[in-house]
Every structure is written in C-alpha cells, then in structure tokens.
Amino acid sequence: MVRIAVMGASGRMGQMLVQLVGESDLAVLGAAVERPGHGWVGQDLGVAAGGAALGLRVTDSVAQALEQSDAVIDFTAPGVSVALAEQAAAMGVAHVIGTTGFSDADLQAIARAAERGVIVRAGNMSLGVNLLVQLTAQVARALGMEYDIEIVEAHHRHKVDAPSGTALMLGEAAAEGRGQRLADVSERGRDGITGARQAGAIGFHAIRGGDIIGEHDVIFAGTGERITLRHVASDRSVFARGALRAAIWAQGQPPGEYSMAAVLGL
Ligand code: NAD
C-alpha cells in the first residue's frame, strides 16, 4: 500500500483525493495537511469534512506529513508547491504536483528539486486531456501555418490563474507541432484596436463563471474550414484519479520530473 499525504486536504481537489484514496485498494491515507491557521488543523479529517470520524487528524506540519508518507499529492498554490518540492525531495517522498499558475522561476526551482527527487507535474491529470495534448501536436504539425490556432478555455468563478494550466499544455503542444516556441507566438486575449491577427500566433481566451469544472477547445481555423478539438471535464474525479495513479507509478522511479504522458505510457 502506498501511503499518500494530501496537501490542501480541505480544497476542492483535496477533498476529492481524500475520498478516492479512501476507496483505493493500492493506497492509504498517510496524512492530511492544511495551511497553518486553517480551521481544519487539529480536527479529525472526517469530522472536519462533515462526515464520520476517520481517525486521522489534519496537520499543518509538512515535515510530519512527509515522514508518514511515500507520496504527497499537491493541488494548492505555486509558492506552496515550490517549497514542498524541495522538502519532499530531501525526504525521499514522491511529489505529484497538480497546482497550476507557476512562473518561470518557480518551474526552474521545481526542476532543481527533481534532480534529487521524483516529481510528476501536469497542468491536467486526466487521461482525456493528455491524449488531447498529443492530438493537438499531431494536428498542428499536419495543418501547418495556414491554419490559425485559438485556444478557448472555461472554468468556475473561483479559479485564480489564466490561461489555465491545461490551455498552456495545449498551446505548448500546438507550438511544438509547428516547430515554434510558445513564448514567441502566444497572444493573450484581445481588446481594442489590435490590428489584424499575427501570422503564426496562438491565441488564448479564458471564460470564468459558475461551477464549470474545465472545458478546452483548440480551434484550427483555415480558409473555408475549421477543426475544433474539444475536451469537457464533467467531474473533478478525473484529475484526482490521474494524480493517484501518478503517485503509485512514481514509487521506485529514479529522480526526475515526469509528465502524465510518462505515467499513462502515451
Ligand atoms: P482550492 O482553493 O479549493 O484548494 C487549495 C487548498 O490548498 C485550500 O484548501 C488551501 O487552504 C490549501 N493550502 C493553501 N496553502 C497551503 C499550505 N501552505 N499547506 C497546505 N495547504 C494549503 O483549489 P482547487 O480548485 O482544489 O485547485 C488547486 C490547484 O490545483 C489550482 O492551482 C488549480 O488550478 C489546480 N488544478 C489542477 C488540476 C490538474 O489536473 N492538474 C485539476 C484541478 C485543479
């Protein structure tokens, strides 16, 4: 049984993970972590979540949680995940990072931690999206520069970063398929007198509202025809299932930063 620490246990993804690990035959909950000062800290995890007691108290001590675990699953915030990457690597605990919204400096810090520890990081942990990433690269390669690429994503009203981590994964795949660097061609939203579209640009647009779990369209708009690749997540459990699969897969892997494509064998 792989012992799992859930970082951010009261969060939307954290609660989903606690439930999923509880149902798993391959994993067991080693620790549940919340930020210092959070109302759940010190309480029984099950009671805090409004259910029956689970016999596991929520902690704000990352060190203690890592001591009790083989892997930590982390859907929190960029600063939290960067600090945890270093600590988990030092303690030999595999780190599955679902958090999005990292800066380039954050990503460099995570890459440094992965020289010593096993890290699986993906802006989207679902099988469907990881397949869509591969299809996007393939379609972009086949269609070339004649087709304009626009990525439209929609999420719930609480999401704090844009474009979504998934939209960026799709943009990276599209750029790679056409032999471009995303940083050179990315256009974020449009407003006012923007002038005509730049040839070869990859556009990003973010819709925020209600309880939308996550929707992504990759539009290839040519002259006389348009192709749209679409993924719709209708249940957060797809991300949690992917993250748990990654935590189990990570056991015994050599240090490095891995993607979900590696975990899923795509
Ligand atoms: P959320 O706000 O519901 O949950 C985040 C939780 O982290 C909160 O409970 C918060 O208290 C906790 N937290 C903050 N600081 C902490 C600390 N220092 N120690 C422990 N816990 C701490 O957010 P969410 O909707 O669950 O999303 C979290 C992140 O995961 C976001 O970046 C989101 O974009 C990303 N996400 C990724 C995927 C994916 O498949 N990769 C899927 C869904 C969400």
Side-chain angles (χ1 to χ4, degrees), residues 7-14 33-36 38 62 74-78 80 97-101 122-126 156 159-161 166 236 239:
M7 196 74 176
S10 83
R12 276 175 287 270
M13 286 304 302
V33 190
E34 257 303 339
R35 62 180 159 72
H38 191 279
V62 174
D74 167 22
F75 289 76
T76 56
V80 178
I97 305 178
T99 306
T100 61
N124 193 303
M125 301 266 172
S126 87
H156 53 86
K159 185 163 179 63
V160 296
D161 54 318
T166 307
R236 270 189 189 85
F239 311 129

PDB file of all heavy atoms in Angstrom, residues 7-14 33-36 38 62 74-78 80 97-101 122-126 156 159-161 166 236 239, ligand 1:
ATOM      1  N   MET A   7      -2.018  17.252   0.379  1.00  0.00           N
ATOM      2  CA  MET A   7      -1.741  18.656   0.699  1.00  0.00           C
ATOM      3  C   MET A   7      -2.991  19.459   0.335  1.00  0.00           C
ATOM      4  O   MET A   7      -3.581  19.224  -0.719  1.00  0.00           O
ATOM      5  CB  MET A   7      -0.543  19.074  -0.171  1.00  0.00           C
ATOM      6  CG  MET A   7       0.147  20.317   0.228  1.00  0.00           C
ATOM      7  SD  MET A   7       1.123  20.031   1.719  1.00  0.00           S
ATOM      8  CE  MET A   7       1.896  21.639   1.823  1.00  0.00           C
ATOM      9  N   GLY A   8      -3.385  20.382   1.202  1.00  0.00           N
ATOM     10  CA  GLY A   8      -4.597  21.167   0.899  1.00  0.00           C
ATOM     11  C   GLY A   8      -5.841  20.305   1.005  1.00  0.00           C
ATOM     12  O   GLY A   8      -6.718  20.329   0.143  1.00  0.00           O
ATOM     13  N   ALA A   9      -5.946  19.533   2.103  1.00  0.00           N
ATOM     14  CA  ALA A   9      -6.981  18.491   2.210  1.00  0.00           C
ATOM     15  C   ALA A   9      -8.409  19.030   2.213  1.00  0.00           C
ATOM     16  O   ALA A   9      -9.341  18.294   1.916  1.00  0.00           O
ATOM     17  CB  ALA A   9      -6.740  17.658   3.471  1.00  0.00           C
ATOM     18  N   SER A  10      -8.591  20.304   2.525  1.00  0.00           N
ATOM     19  CA  SER A  10      -9.966  20.841   2.545  1.00  0.00           C
ATOM     20  C   SER A  10     -10.354  21.451   1.208  1.00  0.00           C
ATOM     21  O   SER A  10     -11.497  21.889   1.033  1.00  0.00           O
ATOM     22  CB  SER A  10     -10.110  21.907   3.644  1.00  0.00           C
ATOM     23  OG  SER A  10      -9.649  23.160   3.178  1.00  0.00           O
ATOM     24  N   GLY A  11      -9.435  21.516   0.268  1.00  0.00           N
ATOM     25  CA  GLY A  11      -9.701  22.178  -1.023  1.00  0.00           C
ATOM     26  C   GLY A  11     -10.610  21.341  -1.917  1.00  0.00           C
ATOM     27  O   GLY A  11     -10.945  20.195  -1.599  1.00  0.00           O
ATOM     28  N   ARG A  12     -11.015  21.931  -3.042  1.00  0.00           N
ATOM     29  CA  ARG A  12     -11.884  21.201  -3.988  1.00  0.00           C
ATOM     30  C   ARG A  12     -11.223  19.890  -4.407  1.00  0.00           C
ATOM     31  O   ARG A  12     -11.826  18.827  -4.354  1.00  0.00           O
ATOM     32  CB  ARG A  12     -12.151  22.067  -5.235  1.00  0.00           C
ATOM     33  CG  ARG A  12     -13.284  23.040  -5.085  1.00  0.00           C
ATOM     34  CD  ARG A  12     -13.395  23.937  -6.319  1.00  0.00           C
ATOM     35  NE  ARG A  12     -12.314  24.903  -6.336  1.00  0.00           N
ATOM     36  CZ  ARG A  12     -12.362  26.106  -5.778  1.00  0.00           C
ATOM     37  NH1 ARG A  12     -13.469  26.505  -5.201  1.00  0.00           N
ATOM     38  NH2 ARG A  12     -11.330  26.911  -5.797  1.00  0.00           N
ATOM     39  N   MET A  13      -9.960  19.950  -4.821  1.00  0.00           N
ATOM     40  CA  MET A  13      -9.261  18.730  -5.243  1.00  0.00           C
ATOM     41  C   MET A  13      -8.862  17.894  -4.036  1.00  0.00           C
ATOM     42  O   MET A  13      -8.879  16.665  -4.096  1.00  0.00           O
ATOM     43  CB  MET A  13      -8.033  19.087  -6.093  1.00  0.00           C
ATOM     44  CG  MET A  13      -8.357  19.544  -7.500  1.00  0.00           C
ATOM     45  SD  MET A  13      -9.338  18.331  -8.396  1.00  0.00           S
ATOM     46  CE  MET A  13      -8.254  16.916  -8.318  1.00  0.00           C
ATOM     47  N   GLY A  14      -8.464  18.553  -2.935  1.00  0.00           N
ATOM     48  CA  GLY A  14      -8.035  17.831  -1.729  1.00  0.00           C
ATOM     49  C   GLY A  14      -9.125  16.899  -1.228  1.00  0.00           C
ATOM     50  O   GLY A  14      -8.876  15.719  -0.939  1.00  0.00           O
ATOM     51  N   VAL A  33      -2.893  17.507   5.114  1.00  0.00           N
ATOM     52  CA  VAL A  33      -2.227  18.751   5.502  1.00  0.00           C
ATOM     53  C   VAL A  33      -3.089  19.943   5.094  1.00  0.00           C
ATOM     54  O   VAL A  33      -3.659  19.955   4.000  1.00  0.00           O
ATOM     55  CB  VAL A  33      -0.844  18.890   4.808  1.00  0.00           C
ATOM     56  CG1 VAL A  33      -0.055  20.052   5.397  1.00  0.00           C
ATOM     57  CG2 VAL A  33      -0.051  17.598   4.916  1.00  0.00           C
ATOM     58  N   GLU A  34      -3.177  20.927   5.984  1.00  0.00           N
ATOM     59  CA  GLU A  34      -3.772  22.219   5.620  1.00  0.00           C
ATOM     60  C   GLU A  34      -2.825  23.328   6.072  1.00  0.00           C
ATOM     61  O   GLU A  34      -1.884  23.081   6.814  1.00  0.00           O
ATOM     62  CB  GLU A  34      -5.177  22.394   6.215  1.00  0.00           C
ATOM     63  CG  GLU A  34      -6.304  22.185   5.193  1.00  0.00           C
ATOM     64  CD  GLU A  34      -6.228  23.112   3.963  1.00  0.00           C
ATOM     65  OE1 GLU A  34      -5.577  24.167   4.044  1.00  0.00           O
ATOM     66  OE2 GLU A  34      -6.812  22.765   2.918  1.00  0.00           O
ATOM     67  N   ARG A  35      -3.086  24.540   5.578  1.00  0.00           N
ATOM     68  CA  ARG A  35      -2.173  25.646   5.901  1.00  0.00           C
ATOM     69  C   ARG A  35      -2.321  26.026   7.377  1.00  0.00           C
ATOM     70  O   ARG A  35      -3.421  25.896   7.942  1.00  0.00           O
ATOM     71  CB  ARG A  35      -2.433  26.843   4.983  1.00  0.00           C
ATOM     72  CG  ARG A  35      -3.785  27.421   5.122  1.00  0.00           C
ATOM     73  CD  ARG A  35      -4.033  28.599   4.211  1.00  0.00           C
ATOM     74  NE  ARG A  35      -5.457  28.789   4.037  1.00  0.00           N
ATOM     75  CZ  ARG A  35      -6.279  29.266   4.965  1.00  0.00           C
ATOM     76  NH1 ARG A  35      -5.819  29.619   6.143  1.00  0.00           N
ATOM     77  NH2 ARG A  35      -7.578  29.376   4.725  1.00  0.00           N
ATOM     78  N   PRO A  36      -1.220  26.503   7.983  1.00  0.00           N
ATOM     79  CA  PRO A  36      -1.285  26.930   9.386  1.00  0.00           C
ATOM     80  C   PRO A  36      -2.411  27.958   9.563  1.00  0.00           C
ATOM     81  O   PRO A  36      -2.579  28.848   8.737  1.00  0.00           O
ATOM     82  CB  PRO A  36       0.088  27.569   9.621  1.00  0.00           C
ATOM     83  CG  PRO A  36       0.988  26.932   8.613  1.00  0.00           C
ATOM     84  CD  PRO A  36       0.138  26.660   7.407  1.00  0.00           C
ATOM     85  N   HIS A  38      -5.617  27.270   9.405  1.00  0.00           N
ATOM     86  CA  HIS A  38      -6.860  26.795   8.785  1.00  0.00           C
ATOM     87  C   HIS A  38      -7.719  26.087   9.841  1.00  0.00           C
ATOM     88  O   HIS A  38      -7.185  25.396  10.709  1.00  0.00           O
ATOM     89  CB  HIS A  38      -6.527  25.836   7.638  1.00  0.00           C
ATOM     90  CG  HIS A  38      -7.710  25.502   6.777  1.00  0.00           C
ATOM     91  ND1 HIS A  38      -8.639  24.553   7.135  1.00  0.00           N
ATOM     92  CD2 HIS A  38      -8.135  26.013   5.596  1.00  0.00           C
ATOM     93  CE1 HIS A  38      -9.579  24.483   6.201  1.00  0.00           C
ATOM     94  NE2 HIS A  38      -9.290  25.358   5.251  1.00  0.00           N
ATOM     95  N   VAL A  62       4.283  19.991   7.583  1.00  0.00           N
ATOM     96  CA  VAL A  62       4.646  19.290   6.349  1.00  0.00           C
ATOM     97  C   VAL A  62       5.656  18.187   6.660  1.00  0.00           C
ATOM     98  O   VAL A  62       5.553  17.073   6.138  1.00  0.00           O
ATOM     99  CB  VAL A  62       5.203  20.289   5.313  1.00  0.00           C
ATOM    100  CG1 VAL A  62       5.715  19.575   4.080  1.00  0.00           C
ATOM    101  CG2 VAL A  62       4.137  21.301   4.934  1.00  0.00           C
ATOM    102  N   ASP A  74      -0.450  17.145  -4.333  1.00  0.00           N
ATOM    103  CA  ASP A  74      -0.451  18.570  -4.009  1.00  0.00           C
ATOM    104  C   ASP A  74      -1.200  19.378  -5.074  1.00  0.00           C
ATOM    105  O   ASP A  74      -0.698  19.591  -6.169  1.00  0.00           O
ATOM    106  CB  ASP A  74       1.043  18.958  -3.909  1.00  0.00           C
ATOM    107  CG  ASP A  74       1.307  20.441  -3.881  1.00  0.00           C
ATOM    108  OD1 ASP A  74       0.410  21.202  -3.536  1.00  0.00           O
ATOM    109  OD2 ASP A  74       2.459  20.806  -4.199  1.00  0.00           O
ATOM    110  N   PHE A  75      -2.415  19.798  -4.717  1.00  0.00           N
ATOM    111  CA  PHE A  75      -3.186  20.744  -5.552  1.00  0.00           C
ATOM    112  C   PHE A  75      -3.407  21.958  -4.662  1.00  0.00           C
ATOM    113  O   PHE A  75      -4.420  22.047  -3.966  1.00  0.00           O
ATOM    114  CB  PHE A  75      -4.543  20.165  -5.968  1.00  0.00           C
ATOM    115  CG  PHE A  75      -4.499  19.056  -6.991  1.00  0.00           C
ATOM    116  CD1 PHE A  75      -4.115  17.767  -6.644  1.00  0.00           C
ATOM    117  CD2 PHE A  75      -4.869  19.284  -8.309  1.00  0.00           C
ATOM    118  CE1 PHE A  75      -4.090  16.740  -7.586  1.00  0.00           C
ATOM    119  CE2 PHE A  75      -4.851  18.272  -9.266  1.00  0.00           C
ATOM    120  CZ  PHE A  75      -4.458  16.995  -8.901  1.00  0.00           C
ATOM    121  N   THR A  76      -2.435  22.876  -4.615  1.00  0.00           N
ATOM    122  CA  THR A  76      -2.553  24.014  -3.703  1.00  0.00           C
ATOM    123  C   THR A  76      -2.306  25.322  -4.457  1.00  0.00           C
ATOM    124  O   THR A  76      -3.158  25.773  -5.200  1.00  0.00           O
ATOM    125  CB  THR A  76      -1.589  23.851  -2.506  1.00  0.00           C
ATOM    126  OG1 THR A  76      -0.255  23.691  -2.983  1.00  0.00           O
ATOM    127  CG2 THR A  76      -1.983  22.682  -1.615  1.00  0.00           C
ATOM    128  N   ALA A  77      -1.137  25.924  -4.220  1.00  0.00           N
ATOM    129  CA  ALA A  77      -0.799  27.216  -4.838  1.00  0.00           C
ATOM    130  C   ALA A  77       0.688  27.188  -5.177  1.00  0.00           C
ATOM    131  O   ALA A  77       1.462  26.454  -4.533  1.00  0.00           O
ATOM    132  CB  ALA A  77      -1.102  28.342  -3.861  1.00  0.00           C
ATOM    133  N   PRO A  78       1.118  27.978  -6.178  1.00  0.00           N
ATOM    134  CA  PRO A  78       2.504  27.874  -6.663  1.00  0.00           C
ATOM    135  C   PRO A  78       3.573  27.960  -5.568  1.00  0.00           C
ATOM    136  O   PRO A  78       4.460  27.107  -5.506  1.00  0.00           O
ATOM    137  CB  PRO A  78       2.612  29.040  -7.653  1.00  0.00           C
ATOM    138  CG  PRO A  78       1.223  29.172  -8.187  1.00  0.00           C
ATOM    139  CD  PRO A  78       0.312  28.899  -7.026  1.00  0.00           C
ATOM    140  N   VAL A  80       3.429  27.330  -2.424  1.00  0.00           N
ATOM    141  CA  VAL A  80       3.352  26.153  -1.546  1.00  0.00           C
ATOM    142  C   VAL A  80       4.017  24.962  -2.238  1.00  0.00           C
ATOM    143  O   VAL A  80       4.815  24.224  -1.646  1.00  0.00           O
ATOM    144  CB  VAL A  80       1.868  25.833  -1.227  1.00  0.00           C
ATOM    145  CG1 VAL A  80       1.766  24.599  -0.352  1.00  0.00           C
ATOM    146  CG2 VAL A  80       1.176  27.026  -0.587  1.00  0.00           C
ATOM    147  N   ILE A  97       2.447  17.021  -8.455  1.00  0.00           N
ATOM    148  CA  ILE A  97       2.041  18.435  -8.454  1.00  0.00           C
ATOM    149  C   ILE A  97       0.931  18.663  -9.478  1.00  0.00           C
ATOM    150  O   ILE A  97       1.146  18.559 -10.684  1.00  0.00           O
ATOM    151  CB  ILE A  97       3.239  19.357  -8.799  1.00  0.00           C
ATOM    152  CG1 ILE A  97       4.408  19.097  -7.851  1.00  0.00           C
ATOM    153  CG2 ILE A  97       2.799  20.813  -8.755  1.00  0.00           C
ATOM    154  CD1 ILE A  97       5.652  19.943  -8.169  1.00  0.00           C
ATOM    155  N   GLY A  98      -0.253  18.989  -8.963  1.00  0.00           N
ATOM    156  CA  GLY A  98      -1.362  19.355  -9.845  1.00  0.00           C
ATOM    157  C   GLY A  98      -1.576  20.853  -9.900  1.00  0.00           C
ATOM    158  O   GLY A  98      -2.303  21.350 -10.759  1.00  0.00           O
ATOM    159  N   THR A  99      -0.947  21.570  -8.980  1.00  0.00           N
ATOM    160  CA  THR A  99      -1.060  23.039  -8.918  1.00  0.00           C
ATOM    161  C   THR A  99      -0.717  23.645 -10.273  1.00  0.00           C
ATOM    162  O   THR A  99       0.165  23.141 -10.973  1.00  0.00           O
ATOM    163  CB  THR A  99      -0.071  23.567  -7.849  1.00  0.00           C
ATOM    164  OG1 THR A  99      -0.318  22.883  -6.631  1.00  0.00           O
ATOM    165  CG2 THR A  99      -0.215  25.069  -7.653  1.00  0.00           C
ATOM    166  N   THR A 100      -1.374  24.764 -10.609  1.00  0.00           N
ATOM    167  CA  THR A 100      -1.057  25.477 -11.856  1.00  0.00           C
ATOM    168  C   THR A 100      -0.725  26.939 -11.527  1.00  0.00           C
ATOM    169  O   THR A 100      -0.838  27.360 -10.377  1.00  0.00           O
ATOM    170  CB  THR A 100      -2.232  25.426 -12.844  1.00  0.00           C
ATOM    171  OG1 THR A 100      -3.368  26.072 -12.241  1.00  0.00           O
ATOM    172  CG2 THR A 100      -2.589  23.999 -13.206  1.00  0.00           C
ATOM    173  N   GLY A 101      -0.311  27.676 -12.539  1.00  0.00           N
ATOM    174  CA  GLY A 101      -0.050  29.102 -12.370  1.00  0.00           C
ATOM    175  C   GLY A 101       1.388  29.426 -11.998  1.00  0.00           C
ATOM    176  O   GLY A 101       1.667  30.495 -11.450  1.00  0.00           O
ATOM    177  N   ALA A 122       1.736  17.964 -13.829  1.00  0.00           N
ATOM    178  CA  ALA A 122       0.910  18.140 -15.029  1.00  0.00           C
ATOM    179  C   ALA A 122      -0.164  19.176 -14.743  1.00  0.00           C
ATOM    180  O   ALA A 122      -0.810  19.127 -13.696  1.00  0.00           O
ATOM    181  CB  ALA A 122       0.262  16.819 -15.432  1.00  0.00           C
ATOM    182  N   GLY A 123      -0.328  20.097 -15.669  1.00  0.00           N
ATOM    183  CA  GLY A 123      -1.386  21.106 -15.560  1.00  0.00           C
ATOM    184  C   GLY A 123      -2.755  20.465 -15.670  1.00  0.00           C
ATOM    185  O   GLY A 123      -3.769  21.081 -15.355  1.00  0.00           O
ATOM    186  N   ASN A 124      -2.797  19.238 -16.128  1.00  0.00           N
ATOM    187  CA  ASN A 124      -4.051  18.484 -16.168  1.00  0.00           C
ATOM    188  C   ASN A 124      -3.712  17.007 -16.053  1.00  0.00           C
ATOM    189  O   ASN A 124      -2.869  16.502 -16.768  1.00  0.00           O
ATOM    190  CB  ASN A 124      -4.816  18.753 -17.465  1.00  0.00           C
ATOM    191  CG  ASN A 124      -6.237  18.234 -17.380  1.00  0.00           C
ATOM    192  OD1 ASN A 124      -6.455  17.055 -17.127  1.00  0.00           O
ATOM    193  ND2 ASN A 124      -7.198  19.104 -17.588  1.00  0.00           N
ATOM    194  N   MET A 125      -4.373  16.334 -15.120  1.00  0.00           N
ATOM    195  CA  MET A 125      -4.035  14.940 -14.815  1.00  0.00           C
ATOM    196  C   MET A 125      -4.983  13.956 -15.492  1.00  0.00           C
ATOM    197  O   MET A 125      -4.871  12.760 -15.250  1.00  0.00           O
ATOM    198  CB  MET A 125      -4.119  14.718 -13.301  1.00  0.00           C
ATOM    199  CG  MET A 125      -3.200  15.597 -12.488  1.00  0.00           C
ATOM    200  SD  MET A 125      -1.668  14.725 -12.170  1.00  0.00           S
ATOM    201  CE  MET A 125      -0.677  16.011 -11.439  1.00  0.00           C
ATOM    202  N   SER A 126      -5.907  14.417 -16.324  1.00  0.00           N
ATOM    203  CA  SER A 126      -6.881  13.474 -16.881  1.00  0.00           C
ATOM    204  C   SER A 126      -6.317  12.771 -18.119  1.00  0.00           C
ATOM    205  O   SER A 126      -5.535  13.348 -18.881  1.00  0.00           O
ATOM    206  CB  SER A 126      -8.204  14.171 -17.222  1.00  0.00           C
ATOM    207  OG  SER A 126      -8.169  14.710 -18.519  1.00  0.00           O
ATOM    208  N   HIS A 156     -14.656  27.507 -13.502  1.00  0.00           N
ATOM    209  CA  HIS A 156     -15.506  28.065 -12.432  1.00  0.00           C
ATOM    210  C   HIS A 156     -15.021  29.448 -11.963  1.00  0.00           C
ATOM    211  O   HIS A 156     -13.893  29.843 -12.210  1.00  0.00           O
ATOM    212  CB  HIS A 156     -15.505  27.092 -11.246  1.00  0.00           C
ATOM    213  CG  HIS A 156     -14.132  26.710 -10.764  1.00  0.00           C
ATOM    214  ND1 HIS A 156     -13.435  27.462  -9.850  1.00  0.00           N
ATOM    215  CD2 HIS A 156     -13.312  25.685 -11.111  1.00  0.00           C
ATOM    216  CE1 HIS A 156     -12.259  26.904  -9.640  1.00  0.00           C
ATOM    217  NE2 HIS A 156     -12.159  25.815 -10.403  1.00  0.00           N
ATOM    218  N   LYS A 159     -11.493  30.174  -9.911  1.00  0.00           N
ATOM    219  CA  LYS A 159     -10.136  29.919 -10.445  1.00  0.00           C
ATOM    220  C   LYS A 159      -9.329  31.223 -10.460  1.00  0.00           C
ATOM    221  O   LYS A 159      -9.828  32.259 -10.881  1.00  0.00           O
ATOM    222  CB  LYS A 159     -10.222  29.317 -11.850  1.00  0.00           C
ATOM    223  CG  LYS A 159      -8.851  28.936 -12.396  1.00  0.00           C
ATOM    224  CD  LYS A 159      -8.957  27.985 -13.561  1.00  0.00           C
ATOM    225  CE  LYS A 159      -7.584  27.637 -14.115  1.00  0.00           C
ATOM    226  NZ  LYS A 159      -6.731  26.939 -13.149  1.00  0.00           N
ATOM    227  N   VAL A 160      -8.049  31.142 -10.013  1.00  0.00           N
ATOM    228  CA  VAL A 160      -7.277  32.385  -9.831  1.00  0.00           C
ATOM    229  C   VAL A 160      -6.267  32.646 -10.945  1.00  0.00           C
ATOM    230  O   VAL A 160      -5.715  33.738 -11.006  1.00  0.00           O
ATOM    231  CB  VAL A 160      -6.539  32.394  -8.462  1.00  0.00           C
ATOM    232  CG1 VAL A 160      -7.533  32.387  -7.310  1.00  0.00           C
ATOM    233  CG2 VAL A 160      -5.560  31.225  -8.333  1.00  0.00           C
ATOM    234  N   ASP A 161      -5.966  31.649 -11.800  1.00  0.00           N
ATOM    235  CA  ASP A 161      -4.952  31.878 -12.838  1.00  0.00           C
ATOM    236  C   ASP A 161      -5.553  31.722 -14.236  1.00  0.00           C
ATOM    237  O   ASP A 161      -6.496  30.968 -14.445  1.00  0.00           O
ATOM    238  CB  ASP A 161      -3.740  30.932 -12.656  1.00  0.00           C
ATOM    239  CG  ASP A 161      -4.132  29.453 -12.585  1.00  0.00           C
ATOM    240  OD1 ASP A 161      -5.130  29.129 -11.919  1.00  0.00           O
ATOM    241  OD2 ASP A 161      -3.447  28.624 -13.218  1.00  0.00           O
ATOM    242  N   THR A 166      -3.960  23.749 -18.322  1.00  0.00           N
ATOM    243  CA  THR A 166      -4.286  22.867 -19.444  1.00  0.00           C
ATOM    244  C   THR A 166      -4.178  23.612 -20.773  1.00  0.00           C
ATOM    245  O   THR A 166      -3.630  23.082 -21.750  1.00  0.00           O
ATOM    246  CB  THR A 166      -5.714  22.324 -19.283  1.00  0.00           C
ATOM    247  OG1 THR A 166      -5.818  21.738 -17.997  1.00  0.00           O
ATOM    248  CG2 THR A 166      -6.047  21.322 -20.359  1.00  0.00           C
ATOM    249  N   ARG A 236     -14.599  16.371 -11.264  1.00  0.00           N
ATOM    250  CA  ARG A 236     -13.215  16.567 -10.807  1.00  0.00           C
ATOM    251  C   ARG A 236     -12.474  15.262 -10.523  1.00  0.00           C
ATOM    252  O   ARG A 236     -11.262  15.241 -10.408  1.00  0.00           O
ATOM    253  CB  ARG A 236     -13.213  17.336  -9.479  1.00  0.00           C
ATOM    254  CG  ARG A 236     -13.152  18.772  -9.644  1.00  0.00           C
ATOM    255  CD  ARG A 236     -12.948  19.577  -8.410  1.00  0.00           C
ATOM    256  NE  ARG A 236     -13.147  20.939  -8.862  1.00  0.00           N
ATOM    257  CZ  ARG A 236     -14.326  21.517  -8.948  1.00  0.00           C
ATOM    258  NH1 ARG A 236     -15.401  20.905  -8.532  1.00  0.00           N
ATOM    259  NH2 ARG A 236     -14.424  22.732  -9.452  1.00  0.00           N
ATOM    260  N   PHE A 239      -9.283  14.219 -12.466  1.00  0.00           N
ATOM    261  CA  PHE A 239      -7.970  14.760 -12.111  1.00  0.00           C
ATOM    262  C   PHE A 239      -7.407  13.987 -10.906  1.00  0.00           C
ATOM    263  O   PHE A 239      -6.215  13.684 -10.843  1.00  0.00           O
ATOM    264  CB  PHE A 239      -8.072  16.248 -11.755  1.00  0.00           C
ATOM    265  CG  PHE A 239      -8.822  17.061 -12.766  1.00  0.00           C
ATOM    266  CD1 PHE A 239      -9.863  17.895 -12.384  1.00  0.00           C
ATOM    267  CD2 PHE A 239      -8.490  17.000 -14.117  1.00  0.00           C
ATOM    268  CE1 PHE A 239     -10.558  18.654 -13.318  1.00  0.00           C
ATOM    269  CE2 PHE A 239      -9.184  17.759 -15.055  1.00  0.00           C
ATOM    270  CZ  PHE A 239     -10.227  18.578 -14.650  1.00  0.00           C
TER     271      PHE A 239
HETATM  272  P1  NAD B   1      -8.796  25.160  -3.616  1.00  0.00           P
HETATM  273  O1  NAD B   1      -8.587  26.615  -3.313  1.00  0.00           O
HETATM  274  O2  NAD B   1     -10.173  24.598  -3.459  1.00  0.00           O
HETATM  275  O3  NAD B   1      -7.800  24.277  -2.715  1.00  0.00           O
HETATM  276  C1  NAD B   1      -6.490  24.631  -2.378  1.00  0.00           C
HETATM  277  C2  NAD B   1      -6.249  24.186  -0.948  1.00  0.00           C
HETATM  278  O4  NAD B   1      -4.858  24.348  -0.614  1.00  0.00           O
HETATM  279  C3  NAD B   1      -7.039  25.016   0.090  1.00  0.00           C
HETATM  280  O5  NAD B   1      -7.757  24.149   0.944  1.00  0.00           O
HETATM  281  C4  NAD B   1      -5.950  25.760   0.848  1.00  0.00           C
HETATM  282  O6  NAD B   1      -6.281  26.042   2.216  1.00  0.00           O
HETATM  283  C5  NAD B   1      -4.792  24.770   0.728  1.00  0.00           C
HETATM  284  N1  NAD B   1      -3.498  25.366   1.051  1.00  0.00           N
HETATM  285  C6  NAD B   1      -3.038  26.610   0.758  1.00  0.00           C
HETATM  286  N2  NAD B   1      -1.820  26.812   1.293  1.00  0.00           N
HETATM  287  C7  NAD B   1      -1.476  25.661   1.920  1.00  0.00           C
HETATM  288  C8  NAD B   1      -0.332  25.247   2.664  1.00  0.00           C
HETATM  289  N3  NAD B   1       0.710  26.085   2.863  1.00  0.00           N
HETATM  290  N4  NAD B   1      -0.311  23.999   3.180  1.00  0.00           N
HETATM  291  C9  NAD B   1      -1.369  23.156   2.977  1.00  0.00           C
HETATM  292  N5  NAD B   1      -2.475  23.501   2.303  1.00  0.00           N
HETATM  293  C10 NAD B   1      -2.540  24.736   1.772  1.00  0.00           C
HETATM  294  O7  NAD B   1      -8.272  24.949  -5.100  1.00  0.00           O
HETATM  295  P2  NAD B   1      -8.520  23.731  -6.122  1.00  0.00           P
HETATM  296  O8  NAD B   1      -9.680  24.043  -7.014  1.00  0.00           O
HETATM  297  O9  NAD B   1      -8.514  22.435  -5.387  1.00  0.00           O
HETATM  298  O10 NAD B   1      -7.217  23.867  -7.045  1.00  0.00           O
HETATM  299  C11 NAD B   1      -5.911  23.879  -6.502  1.00  0.00           C
HETATM  300  C12 NAD B   1      -4.884  23.966  -7.619  1.00  0.00           C
HETATM  301  O11 NAD B   1      -4.965  22.810  -8.444  1.00  0.00           O
HETATM  302  C13 NAD B   1      -5.069  25.159  -8.571  1.00  0.00           C
HETATM  303  O12 NAD B   1      -3.780  25.615  -8.960  1.00  0.00           O
HETATM  304  C14 NAD B   1      -5.795  24.550  -9.756  1.00  0.00           C
HETATM  305  O13 NAD B   1      -5.590  25.263 -10.963  1.00  0.00           O
HETATM  306  C15 NAD B   1      -5.139  23.197  -9.808  1.00  0.00           C
HETATM  307  N6  NAD B   1      -5.895  22.142 -10.503  1.00  0.00           N
HETATM  308  C16 NAD B   1      -5.160  21.301 -11.303  1.00  0.00           C
HETATM  309  C17 NAD B   1      -5.762  20.216 -11.914  1.00  0.00           C
HETATM  310  C18 NAD B   1      -4.901  19.248 -12.694  1.00  0.00           C
HETATM  311  O14 NAD B   1      -5.428  18.260 -13.251  1.00  0.00           O
HETATM  312  N7  NAD B   1      -3.579  19.460 -12.729  1.00  0.00           N
HETATM  313  C19 NAD B   1      -7.139  19.982 -11.742  1.00  0.00           C
HETATM  314  C20 NAD B   1      -7.867  20.863 -10.921  1.00  0.00           C
HETATM  315  C21 NAD B   1      -7.225  21.928 -10.287  1.00  0.00           C
END
